[in-house]
Amino acid sequence: METLPAFGVQLMRLAELRDVDVKFLAGRAAVPEPVITAVLDGDEPDPSLLRRLAPALGLHASDVFVIAGQRVPDDLAPLDPAAAGDPGWLAWPLTHLPRAVPELHRFVRSMPQLPRPQRPAAPTPPYLRYPNGAGGLILRLLHNRNLSWLASAKYLYGIGRRDILSASTIGAIGHGRMPLTSHLLTGFAAFLDIPSRDLSALTGIDLTGDHPPTHPDAAEVARLIWNARRLTTDQLQQVHDRAHSIRHERADELRPKHRCSCPGRP
């Protein structure tokens, strides 16, 4: 497994992809040029610089922390640690239900912002500690969206339109035991809300060649998943319940095998 380069190298790749130079980055980040140059030369970036670089690069601030290999600050992390994996419940309706994506996205955006739950921080379990490789970076970005191995597998299939993989295979990709191919990288990009060209620059994986199309609602699904980071597990259950209701309301638009057979629903 090939180790990813230092953050300075990745920052330069992202800048070159955007056809911008050190002066532009420094101006957009409102920092002196030598600060950027020092990072490009190998210095560890200060957390305040990472926050400033995010809008300059057009990336989410927490993702920049992930890319830099630093801990995501609490105020940038998903709101509710107990919700890890919960967005996976929505993979089926977002993939198959007619017109459900924009409706559920509006529902997510309409939900009130609640205080961060006061739960003790749990240490990262060993199986979620990934080496500094391409697969490890993608898995850390997925976890930054509250997506577990199983949830990621569901979205890779339904939104990325890639082969069905098991949750353990997703984990193996993160740990470098399974290769992260360009085929898979473009599938993950479909619901990560990060351009595939950025992921290619960060991982060094060449995207040349033909890749199957993703789900037509992939871009909005990616934004929905991102916006759902700010919800509690109880709020996400409400979103799931609404998706379940839509499944019954639009049953006549679904194939028989896709209809819900649970009792007590109209």
Side-chain angles (χ1 to χ4, degrees), residues 4-17 20-22 25 35-46 49-50 53 57 64-70 132 201-202:
L4 293 180
F7 177 70
V9 175
Q10 293 180 308
L11 177 59
M12 178 58 73
R13 290 177 179 177
L14 292 173
E16 291 174 347
L17 189 60
V20 300
D21 57 14
V22 172
L25 280 180
V35 173
I36 302 293
T37 301
V39 172
L40 295 177
D41 289 341
D43 281 6
E44 184 76 10
D46 185 88
L49 175 62
L50 296 179
L53 282 173
L57 296 169
V64 177
F65 276 84
V66 173
I67 293 165
Q70 296 190 20
N132 185 31
L202 292 169

Side-chain angles (χ1 to χ4, degrees), residues 156-205:
L156 184 65
Y157 171 69
I159 302 302
R161 296 285 177 88
R162 298 306 189 263
D163 296 336
I164 300 176
L165 301 181
S166 67
S168 60
T169 299
I170 299 295
I173 291 171
H175 286 284
R177 296 191 295 270
M178 292 285 292
L180 176 63
T181 63
S182 63
H183 178 80
L184 290 173
L185 188 69
T186 55
F188 285 124
F191 57 95
L192 270 175
D193 196 31
I194 301 175
S196 58
R197 293 198 311 160
D198 280 2
L199 295 180
S200 173
L202 292 169
T203 62
I205 296 175

